[in-house]
Amino acid sequence: MTRSEVALSAPGKVLLAGGYLVLDRDHTGLVFGLDARIHVHVQKLPTSPGVVLSEIIVRSPQFKEAEWSHSTSTQSRNKFVETALAYALSYVCAMSYEKIGSSSITIVADTDYYSHPDETGSTNARFINFHVPITEAHKTGLGSSAALVTAFTAAVLAHYLKKDQLDLDSDLGRRRLHNIAQAAHCAAQGKVGSGFDVAAAVYGSCIYRRFSPSILEGLGEVGSPQFSARLRAVVDDSDPSNKWDMQIDKSNARIPQGLRLLMCDVDCGSETVGLVKKVLGWRKEKPEEASLLWATLQKGNEDLAKELKRLAQTDVQDYRNLKDIVLTIRSLIREMSSKADVPIEPTVQTSLLDACSKVKGVVGGVVPGAGGFDAIALLVEDQALPALQDLLSTYSSTTSADGGPAIGKGVALPAEYDLRAQGDPSSTAPIEMTKIEDQSTGQVNQTSQGPSSSPQNQPEISSPSAATQAAAPPREPLAITSANKNTTSASAALPPLTREKTGPAIGPSSDKPAPMPQEPEITGQTLMITILLITGARHPFKIDERYLKKRNVAIDGDNPFNMSVYTLKELIWREWRDDWEIRPSSPSAIRLIFYGKMLEDKSRLHDCRFEPSLTNHVVHMTVKPQEIVDEEDAKIAKAGGRDHDGNEGTTGCRCIIL
């Protein structure tokens, strides 16, 4: 049996935390469903009386040359459409003995999935004509292929199967849709990915732990003997020795009221496969180094999910701890970027994120997923939207230090966290069926479940129709761009280095970046730092005038914000705690990361965004391997060298008093 018409939609995604880690079952990813959706409409192919066709026609009218005819003797020019259709029809054949009839399938995408120029004149519309072949469209990184495969597969199955064979409103039906969509998406990509994007398309926002890749081993190629039977066994999860083992936790993926998760397009795009390959290559080459960093990132990601849930369950709108967590994750991501030599957070994206984070009410942001030059994700308070729009409307960048594209002209996407995808038992399923109410006019009307609508019998999409605009209220786009600020400064000198036992300058580990107990008030500036170790431990460090004088450290005005980064490293080295790893041979082995940037020795703290107005500065600290330190010191000595203040040195021996 086939239904006369079926329309379904699936949401996009943003992997807010867990990029790269989500590839490993030992780790998880925090993924949110977005209100940007891909819609698929299926209907019988109209024919003359007595004429029987076995053809399936697929059209995507928003793109040029996007019409494909599928039959037993033809192949699609779109691997995702072709694979999804082949898998769906193979499953239908395994479930039903009825002949598969002809059909017409229409695909339309919300504008947020692709970058588009302002001159289209309809950037506020839900659907526009992109005026290019789909292969030339710039994707924004919202998971268009996963949403397409999921919505396409669901629509084809719903069209050809009876509801008692596959009920997408039931938990069992969604689980089977998840399984077949994962299999089809992996086949189309030519590899077994983590699957978080398909999981978000089916289930919405969740904390996701991937399935074992072995589940899809042995499935074989479409058209091979018994492929339909093998596919059904995998989709129905009927093999007790090869069960699906992904974990989808919807209850702990929350966004607090008053916050928005927004996406901002830079119209650049990245080749995710190349980035992943290099990161995994680094992890294979240096497993111990990668494991420590990934374990710390996992803890940061878990802290982010817990803090978002805590804020969602209370009326408290104090986002300081949330901001610290986001900055910590960015620091760790940039360290992984440096170690793997991959632009996960390129400098042009860093500039944009830093600029946005300075807007009052912007909690912070990340380059989500695999990173690169795709859209950035921002956590924003409602009242910050006008100021953020003002910033982005004039922001531009003309250079990139990572060999990638610069931000020239783009828009901030209206796409944001879909409240319907929240981990609330009463929320509707992210994969949504659209009700067909008026078949005579060919208009697809949305139900109360969400903004799901699909045009039919339309030869072209050139401008938004009244019905389309009514389905999605206009959302103002924001323009974006960039600025760079270079700062250099000299470092202050310290007396000969000795390790002192003068009190708890650096406090014991704590779960939260809380300041140390306050001593009697002093008149000068106080610098509060939380040192975050690669183990995840946090240690408070208080530096004020009294501290500097007690240790004979001469700083301009006795103001700790005037000290150099190298001076801070020397202080940390002198206060090294016994419960940390073995103390390095010199302060030069210490790496400090703040606001997602590796701090340079000669820079002063006030030039590195250390500000008295901040009650706490979360600084990530790692230690270079000794062989790297020795190699760097040898190069400096051979070249005549410079000291850490940038001054010329002399050839010969260097003496460090320990």
Side-chain angles (χ1 to χ4, degrees), residues 544-594:
D544 55 20
E545 180 182 348
R546 180 184 296 107
Y547 173 89
L548 295 173
K549 289 183 176 179
K550 185 180 295 185
R551 286 155 182 81
N552 298 318
V553 179
I555 301 294
D556 293 346
D558 291 324
N559 184 346
F561 294 91
N562 290 334
M563 77 170 68
S564 70
V565 170
Y566 190 75
T567 300
L568 177 59
K569 290 183 179 182
E570 289 179 311
L571 292 175
I572 294 173
W573 186 88
R574 294 167 71 177
E575 306 285 358
W576 200 265
R577 290 181 59 90
D578 293 333
D579 54 345
W580 291 355
E581 60 183 295
I582 297 175
R583 187 177 64 157
S585 60
S586 71
S588 60
I590 298 174
R591 288 194 185 106
L592 298 179
I593 304 170
F594 182 59

Short mmCIF file of all heavy atoms in Angstrom, two decimals, residues 544-594:
data_model
loop_
_atom_site.label_atom_id
_atom_site.label_comp_id
_atom_site.label_asym_id
_atom_site.label_seq_id
_atom_site.Cartn_x
_atom_site.Cartn_y
_atom_site.Cartn_z
N ASP A 544 48.73 39.56 44.34
CA ASP A 544 48.47 40.97 44.64
C ASP A 544 49.77 41.64 45.06
O ASP A 544 50.86 41.04 44.99
CB ASP A 544 47.39 41.11 45.73
CG ASP A 544 47.73 40.34 46.99
OD1 ASP A 544 48.93 40.02 47.21
OD2 ASP A 544 46.81 40.06 47.79
N GLU A 545 49.68 42.88 45.52
CA GLU A 545 50.87 43.64 45.90
C GLU A 545 51.63 42.95 47.02
O GLU A 545 52.87 42.86 47.01
CB GLU A 545 50.46 45.05 46.32
CG GLU A 545 51.61 45.94 46.74
CD GLU A 545 51.14 47.31 47.20
OE1 GLU A 545 49.95 47.63 46.97
OE2 GLU A 545 51.95 48.05 47.77
N ARG A 546 50.92 42.45 48.01
CA ARG A 546 51.56 41.78 49.14
C ARG A 546 52.34 40.55 48.67
O ARG A 546 53.47 40.30 49.09
CB ARG A 546 50.50 41.36 50.17
CG ARG A 546 51.08 40.65 51.39
CD ARG A 546 50.00 40.17 52.35
NE ARG A 546 49.26 41.30 52.91
CZ ARG A 546 48.00 41.64 52.57
NH1 ARG A 546 47.37 40.93 51.65
NH2 ARG A 546 47.40 42.66 53.12
N TYR A 547 51.73 39.77 47.78
CA TYR A 547 52.37 38.57 47.25
C TYR A 547 53.66 38.94 46.50
O TYR A 547 54.71 38.31 46.69
CB TYR A 547 51.40 37.84 46.32
CG TYR A 547 52.02 36.68 45.57
CD1 TYR A 547 52.01 35.40 46.12
CD2 TYR A 547 52.60 36.86 44.33
CE1 TYR A 547 52.58 34.33 45.44
CE2 TYR A 547 53.18 35.81 43.64
CZ TYR A 547 53.17 34.54 44.20
OH TYR A 547 53.74 33.50 43.53
N LEU A 548 53.59 39.96 45.67
CA LEU A 548 54.76 40.35 44.86
C LEU A 548 55.91 40.83 45.74
O LEU A 548 57.07 40.49 45.51
CB LEU A 548 54.35 41.44 43.86
CG LEU A 548 53.34 41.01 42.79
CD1 LEU A 548 52.89 42.22 41.97
CD2 LEU A 548 53.92 39.94 41.88
N LYS A 549 55.59 41.65 46.75
CA LYS A 549 56.65 42.16 47.63
C LYS A 549 57.27 41.05 48.46
O LYS A 549 58.49 41.04 48.70
CB LYS A 549 56.09 43.25 48.53
CG LYS A 549 55.76 44.54 47.78
CD LYS A 549 55.28 45.62 48.73
CE LYS A 549 55.05 46.94 47.99
NZ LYS A 549 54.56 48.01 48.90
N LYS A 550 56.45 40.11 48.92
CA LYS A 550 56.97 39.02 49.74
C LYS A 550 57.97 38.17 48.97
O LYS A 550 58.90 37.60 49.54
CB LYS A 550 55.80 38.16 50.23
CG LYS A 550 56.21 37.05 51.20
CD LYS A 550 55.01 36.23 51.63
CE LYS A 550 54.04 37.07 52.44
NZ LYS A 550 52.92 36.24 52.98
N ARG A 551 57.82 38.12 47.65
CA ARG A 551 58.70 37.30 46.81
C ARG A 551 59.69 38.14 46.03
O ARG A 551 60.31 37.66 45.09
CB ARG A 551 57.85 36.45 45.88
CG ARG A 551 57.17 35.29 46.65
CD ARG A 551 55.92 34.81 45.98
NE ARG A 551 55.30 33.74 46.77
CZ ARG A 551 54.54 33.94 47.84
NH1 ARG A 551 54.30 35.19 48.26
NH2 ARG A 551 54.01 32.93 48.50
N ASN A 552 59.82 39.42 46.41
CA ASN A 552 60.80 40.31 45.80
C ASN A 552 60.65 40.40 44.28
O ASN A 552 61.63 40.37 43.53
CB ASN A 552 62.23 39.87 46.15
CG ASN A 552 62.49 39.91 47.65
OD1 ASN A 552 62.08 40.86 48.32
ND2 ASN A 552 63.16 38.89 48.16
N VAL A 553 59.41 40.48 43.83
CA VAL A 553 59.14 40.59 42.40
C VAL A 553 58.82 42.05 42.09
O VAL A 553 57.87 42.62 42.64
CB VAL A 553 57.96 39.70 41.98
CG1 VAL A 553 57.67 39.86 40.49
CG2 VAL A 553 58.26 38.24 42.31
N ALA A 554 59.63 42.67 41.23
CA ALA A 554 59.45 44.07 40.89
C ALA A 554 58.59 44.20 39.64
O ALA A 554 58.99 43.76 38.55
CB ALA A 554 60.80 44.74 40.67
N ILE A 555 57.40 44.77 39.80
CA ILE A 555 56.46 44.98 38.69
C ILE A 555 56.04 46.45 38.70
O ILE A 555 55.86 47.04 39.77
CB ILE A 555 55.21 44.09 38.84
CG1 ILE A 555 55.60 42.61 38.87
CG2 ILE A 555 54.22 44.34 37.70
CD1 ILE A 555 56.17 42.09 37.58
N ASP A 556 55.88 47.04 37.54
CA ASP A 556 55.47 48.44 37.45
C ASP A 556 54.22 48.68 38.29
O ASP A 556 53.17 48.06 38.07
CB ASP A 556 55.18 48.82 36.00
CG ASP A 556 56.43 48.80 35.14
OD1 ASP A 556 57.52 48.76 35.72
OD2 ASP A 556 56.30 48.82 33.90
N GLY A 557 54.36 49.61 39.27
CA GLY A 557 53.22 49.97 40.10
C GLY A 557 52.74 48.86 41.00
O GLY A 557 51.62 48.95 41.55
N ASP A 558 53.53 47.81 41.16
CA ASP A 558 53.11 46.64 41.94
C ASP A 558 51.76 46.11 41.47
O ASP A 558 50.97 45.57 42.24
CB ASP A 558 53.04 46.97 43.45
CG ASP A 558 54.42 47.20 44.04
OD1 ASP A 558 55.36 46.50 43.61
OD2 ASP A 558 54.54 48.08 44.92
N ASN A 559 51.50 46.29 40.17
CA ASN A 559 50.23 45.87 39.58
C ASN A 559 50.45 44.55 38.85
O ASN A 559 51.16 44.49 37.85
CB ASN A 559 49.73 46.94 38.60
CG ASN A 559 48.36 46.61 38.04
OD1 ASN A 559 47.86 45.50 38.15
ND2 ASN A 559 47.75 47.60 37.42
N PRO A 560 49.85 43.46 39.32
CA PRO A 560 50.11 42.15 38.69
C PRO A 560 49.69 42.10 37.22
O PRO A 560 50.20 41.26 36.47
CB PRO A 560 49.28 41.18 39.54
CG PRO A 560 48.26 42.03 40.22
CD PRO A 560 48.91 43.37 40.44
N PHE A 561 48.78 42.97 36.79
CA PHE A 561 48.34 42.97 35.40
C PHE A 561 49.43 43.53 34.47
O PHE A 561 49.32 43.41 33.25
CB PHE A 561 47.05 43.76 35.23
CG PHE A 561 45.88 43.12 35.92
CD1 PHE A 561 45.56 43.44 37.23
CD2 PHE A 561 45.10 42.18 35.26
CE1 PHE A 561 44.49 42.84 37.88
CE2 PHE A 561 44.02 41.57 35.90
CZ PHE A 561 43.71 41.90 37.22
N ASN A 562 50.47 44.15 35.06
CA ASN A 562 51.58 44.68 34.26
C ASN A 562 52.70 43.66 34.05
O ASN A 562 53.65 43.92 33.33
CB ASN A 562 52.17 45.93 34.94
CG ASN A 562 51.24 47.12 34.88
OD1 ASN A 562 50.40 47.22 33.99
ND2 ASN A 562 51.37 48.03 35.84
N MET A 563 52.60 42.52 34.72
CA MET A 563 53.67 41.54 34.57
C MET A 563 53.59 40.86 33.22
O MET A 563 52.55 40.84 32.55
CB MET A 563 53.61 40.50 35.70
CG MET A 563 52.53 39.44 35.53
SD MET A 563 52.66 38.08 36.72
CE MET A 563 52.26 38.91 38.25
N SER A 564 54.71 40.29 32.78
CA SER A 564 54.74 39.56 31.51
C SER A 564 54.25 38.14 31.73
O SER A 564 54.18 37.63 32.85
CB SER A 564 56.16 39.54 30.96
OG SER A 564 56.99 38.70 31.77
N VAL A 565 53.93 37.50 30.61
CA VAL A 565 53.51 36.10 30.67
C VAL A 565 54.63 35.23 31.23
O VAL A 565 54.39 34.32 32.04
CB VAL A 565 53.09 35.61 29.27
CG1 VAL A 565 52.87 34.09 29.26
CG2 VAL A 565 51.83 36.34 28.80
N TYR A 566 55.87 35.54 30.84
CA TYR A 566 56.97 34.73 31.33
C TYR A 566 57.15 34.90 32.84
O TYR A 566 57.49 33.95 33.55
CB TYR A 566 58.28 35.07 30.61
CG TYR A 566 59.38 34.09 30.92
CD1 TYR A 566 59.37 32.83 30.34
CD2 TYR A 566 60.40 34.40 31.82
CE1 TYR A 566 60.35 31.90 30.64
CE2 TYR A 566 61.38 33.47 32.12
CZ TYR A 566 61.36 32.22 31.52
OH TYR A 566 62.33 31.30 31.83
N THR A 567 56.91 36.11 33.34
CA THR A 567 56.98 36.31 34.79
C THR A 567 55.94 35.45 35.50
O THR A 567 56.22 34.85 36.54
CB THR A 567 56.74 37.79 35.13
OG1 THR A 567 57.74 38.59 34.51
CG2 THR A 567 56.78 38.02 36.63
N LEU A 568 54.74 35.39 34.92
CA LEU A 568 53.70 34.53 35.50
C LEU A 568 54.15 33.07 35.48
O LEU A 568 53.95 32.33 36.47
CB LEU A 568 52.39 34.70 34.73
CG LEU A 568 51.23 33.80 35.18
CD1 LEU A 568 50.89 34.03 36.65
CD2 LEU A 568 50.00 34.04 34.30
N LYS A 569 54.79 32.65 34.41
CA LYS A 569 55.29 31.27 34.35
C LYS A 569 56.33 31.03 35.44
O LYS A 569 56.35 29.97 36.08
CB LYS A 569 55.91 31.01 32.98
CG LYS A 569 54.91 30.92 31.83
CD LYS A 569 55.63 30.58 30.53
CE LYS A 569 54.66 30.46 29.36
NZ LYS A 569 55.36 30.10 28.11
N GLU A 570 57.19 32.02 35.66
CA GLU A 570 58.22 31.87 36.70
C GLU A 570 57.58 31.75 38.09
O GLU A 570 58.03 30.96 38.92
CB GLU A 570 59.18 33.06 36.64
CG GLU A 570 60.09 33.03 35.43
CD GLU A 570 61.03 34.22 35.38
OE1 GLU A 570 60.54 35.35 35.55
OE2 GLU A 570 62.24 34.01 35.18
N LEU A 571 56.54 32.54 38.32
CA LEU A 571 55.86 32.46 39.62
C LEU A 571 55.22 31.09 39.80
O LEU A 571 55.28 30.50 40.89
CB LEU A 571 54.81 33.57 39.72
CG LEU A 571 55.36 35.00 39.81
CD1 LEU A 571 54.23 36.00 39.77
CD2 LEU A 571 56.19 35.18 41.09
N ILE A 572 54.56 30.59 38.77
CA ILE A 572 53.95 29.26 38.85
C ILE A 572 55.03 28.22 39.09
O ILE A 572 54.86 27.29 39.90
CB ILE A 572 53.16 28.96 37.56
CG1 ILE A 572 51.95 29.90 37.44
CG2 ILE A 572 52.69 27.50 37.53
CD1 ILE A 572 51.20 29.79 36.12
N TRP A 573 56.15 28.34 38.38
CA TRP A 573 57.25 27.39 38.54
C TRP A 573 57.78 27.39 39.97
O TRP A 573 58.07 26.34 40.54
CB TRP A 573 58.36 27.77 37.55
CG TRP A 573 59.49 26.79 37.48
CD1 TRP A 573 59.59 25.70 36.69
CD2 TRP A 573 60.70 26.85 38.24
NE1 TRP A 573 60.78 25.05 36.90
CE2 TRP A 573 61.48 25.75 37.86
CE3 TRP A 573 61.19 27.72 39.21
CZ2 TRP A 573 62.73 25.50 38.40
CZ3 TRP A 573 62.43 27.46 39.76
CH2 TRP A 573 63.19 26.37 39.35
N ARG A 574 57.88 28.59 40.55
CA ARG A 574 58.39 28.70 41.93
C ARG A 574 57.40 28.11 42.93
O ARG A 574 57.79 27.60 43.98
CB ARG A 574 58.66 30.16 42.27
CG ARG A 574 59.79 30.77 41.46
CD ARG A 574 59.84 32.28 41.58
NE ARG A 574 60.29 32.72 42.89
CZ ARG A 574 60.46 34.00 43.23
NH1 ARG A 574 60.23 34.95 42.33
NH2 ARG A 574 60.87 34.34 44.43
N GLU A 575 56.09 28.20 42.62
CA GLU A 575 55.05 27.72 43.54
C GLU A 575 54.57 26.31 43.19
O GLU A 575 53.52 25.89 43.65
CB GLU A 575 53.85 28.68 43.49
CG GLU A 575 54.18 30.13 43.74
CD GLU A 575 54.46 30.43 45.21
OE1 GLU A 575 54.37 29.49 46.04
OE2 GLU A 575 54.79 31.58 45.53
N TRP A 576 55.32 25.61 42.38
CA TRP A 576 54.88 24.31 41.87
C TRP A 576 54.44 23.39 43.01
O TRP A 576 55.15 23.19 43.99
CB TRP A 576 56.02 23.66 41.09
CG TRP A 576 55.57 22.59 40.13
CD1 TRP A 576 55.52 21.25 40.35
CD2 TRP A 576 55.12 22.80 38.79
NE1 TRP A 576 55.06 20.59 39.25
CE2 TRP A 576 54.81 21.51 38.26
CE3 TRP A 576 54.95 23.92 37.98
CZ2 TRP A 576 54.34 21.34 36.96
CZ3 TRP A 576 54.49 23.75 36.70
CH2 TRP A 576 54.19 22.47 36.18
N ARG A 577 53.26 22.82 42.87
CA ARG A 577 52.70 21.96 43.93
C ARG A 577 53.23 20.54 43.81
O ARG A 577 53.46 20.01 42.71
CB ARG A 577 51.17 21.94 43.84
CG ARG A 577 50.52 23.26 44.22
CD ARG A 577 49.00 23.14 44.12
NE ARG A 577 48.49 22.09 44.99
CZ ARG A 577 48.11 22.27 46.25
NH1 ARG A 577 48.19 23.48 46.79
NH2 ARG A 577 47.65 21.28 46.97
N ASP A 578 53.40 19.88 44.97
CA ASP A 578 53.92 18.52 45.00
C ASP A 578 52.96 17.52 44.36
O ASP A 578 53.39 16.46 43.89
CB ASP A 578 54.21 18.09 46.44
CG ASP A 578 55.35 18.89 47.05
OD1 ASP A 578 56.22 19.34 46.27
OD2 ASP A 578 55.37 19.06 48.28
N ASP A 579 51.66 17.82 44.37
CA ASP A 579 50.69 16.87 43.83
C ASP A 579 50.50 17.03 42.32
O ASP A 579 49.65 16.37 41.72
CB ASP A 579 49.34 16.99 44.53
CG ASP A 579 48.80 18.41 44.52
OD1 ASP A 579 49.56 19.34 44.22
OD2 ASP A 579 47.59 18.59 44.80
N TRP A 580 51.27 17.93 41.68
CA TRP A 580 51.23 18.04 40.22
C TRP A 580 52.22 17.05 39.63
O TRP A 580 52.91 16.32 40.35
CB TRP A 580 51.59 19.46 39.78
CG TRP A 580 50.55 20.48 40.13
CD1 TRP A 580 49.33 20.25 40.70
CD2 TRP A 580 50.66 21.90 39.97
NE1 TRP A 580 48.65 21.43 40.88
CE2 TRP A 580 49.45 22.46 40.45
CE3 TRP A 580 51.64 22.74 39.46
CZ2 TRP A 580 49.21 23.83 40.42
CZ3 TRP A 580 51.41 24.11 39.43
CH2 TRP A 580 50.20 24.65 39.91
N GLU A 581 52.31 17.04 38.31
CA GLU A 581 53.32 16.22 37.66
C GLU A 581 54.71 16.75 38.02
O GLU A 581 54.86 17.78 38.65
CB GLU A 581 53.12 16.25 36.14
CG GLU A 581 53.24 17.64 35.53
CD GLU A 581 52.98 17.63 34.04
OE1 GLU A 581 53.78 17.01 33.32
OE2 GLU A 581 51.98 18.23 33.60
N ILE A 582 55.76 16.04 37.62
CA ILE A 582 57.12 16.44 37.95
C ILE A 582 57.39 17.85 37.42
O ILE A 582 57.07 18.16 36.27
CB ILE A 582 58.13 15.45 37.35
CG1 ILE A 582 57.92 14.05 37.97
CG2 ILE A 582 59.56 15.92 37.58
CD1 ILE A 582 58.80 12.99 37.36
N ARG A 583 57.97 18.68 38.27
CA ARG A 583 58.22 20.07 37.87
C ARG A 583 59.21 20.11 36.72
O ARG A 583 60.24 19.43 36.74
CB ARG A 583 58.76 20.87 39.06
CG ARG A 583 58.89 22.36 38.75
CD ARG A 583 59.36 23.13 39.97
NE ARG A 583 60.69 22.75 40.40
CZ ARG A 583 61.50 23.52 41.12
NH1 ARG A 583 61.08 24.72 41.49
NH2 ARG A 583 62.67 23.11 41.49
N PRO A 584 58.92 20.92 35.68
CA PRO A 584 59.85 21.02 34.55
C PRO A 584 61.16 21.65 34.97
O PRO A 584 61.26 22.29 36.03
CB PRO A 584 59.09 21.89 33.55
CG PRO A 584 58.15 22.70 34.38
CD PRO A 584 57.74 21.81 35.51
N SER A 585 62.17 21.53 34.13
CA SER A 585 63.49 22.04 34.46
C SER A 585 63.55 23.56 34.48
O SER A 585 64.42 24.15 35.12
CB SER A 585 64.53 21.50 33.47
OG SER A 585 64.20 21.91 32.15
N SER A 586 62.63 24.22 33.77
CA SER A 586 62.63 25.69 33.73
C SER A 586 61.23 26.19 33.39
O SER A 586 60.40 25.43 32.86
CB SER A 586 63.64 26.20 32.70
OG SER A 586 63.17 25.95 31.39
N PRO A 587 60.93 27.46 33.69
CA PRO A 587 59.61 28.02 33.36
C PRO A 587 59.31 28.00 31.87
O PRO A 587 58.14 28.02 31.48
CB PRO A 587 59.71 29.46 33.88
CG PRO A 587 60.76 29.42 34.93
CD PRO A 587 61.75 28.41 34.46
N SER A 588 60.34 27.97 31.01
CA SER A 588 60.10 27.99 29.57
C SER A 588 59.37 26.75 29.08
O SER A 588 58.83 26.74 27.98
CB SER A 588 61.42 28.14 28.82
OG SER A 588 62.28 27.06 29.11
N ALA A 589 59.33 25.70 29.90
CA ALA A 589 58.62 24.48 29.51
C ALA A 589 57.12 24.58 29.76
O ALA A 589 56.35 23.72 29.33
CB ALA A 589 59.18 23.28 30.28
N ILE A 590 56.69 25.64 30.44
CA ILE A 590 55.27 25.79 30.77
C ILE A 590 54.54 26.46 29.62
O ILE A 590 55.00 27.46 29.08
CB ILE A 590 55.11 26.62 32.06
CG1 ILE A 590 55.76 25.90 33.25
CG2 ILE A 590 53.64 26.88 32.35
CD1 ILE A 590 55.76 26.71 34.53
N ARG A 591 53.40 25.91 29.26
CA ARG A 591 52.51 26.54 28.27
C ARG A 591 51.29 27.06 29.00
O ARG A 591 50.67 26.35 29.80
CB ARG A 591 52.05 25.54 27.21
CG ARG A 591 53.11 25.10 26.21
CD ARG A 591 52.40 24.39 25.05
NE ARG A 591 53.33 23.82 24.08
CZ ARG A 591 53.57 22.52 23.97
NH1 ARG A 591 52.97 21.67 24.79
NH2 ARG A 591 54.40 22.08 23.05
N LEU A 592 50.90 28.30 28.70
CA LEU A 592 49.70 28.89 29.28
C LEU A 592 48.75 29.29 28.16
O LEU A 592 49.16 29.91 27.18
CB LEU A 592 50.04 30.11 30.13
CG LEU A 592 50.94 29.86 31.35
CD1 LEU A 592 51.21 31.17 32.07
CD2 LEU A 592 50.32 28.84 32.30
N ILE A 593 47.48 28.93 28.31
CA ILE A 593 46.46 29.24 27.30
C ILE A 593 45.32 29.99 27.99
O ILE A 593 44.81 29.55 29.02
CB ILE A 593 45.93 27.96 26.64
CG1 ILE A 593 47.08 27.14 26.04
CG2 ILE A 593 44.91 28.28 25.56
CD1 ILE A 593 46.68 25.77 25.58
N PHE A 594 44.94 31.11 27.40
CA PHE A 594 43.87 31.92 27.98
C PHE A 594 42.99 32.46 26.85
O PHE A 594 43.52 32.93 25.84
CB PHE A 594 44.46 33.08 28.80
CG PHE A 594 43.43 33.94 29.48
CD1 PHE A 594 42.54 33.41 30.40
CD2 PHE A 594 43.35 35.30 29.20
CE1 PHE A 594 41.59 34.21 31.03
CE2 PHE A 594 42.41 36.10 29.83
CZ PHE A 594 41.53 35.55 30.74
#
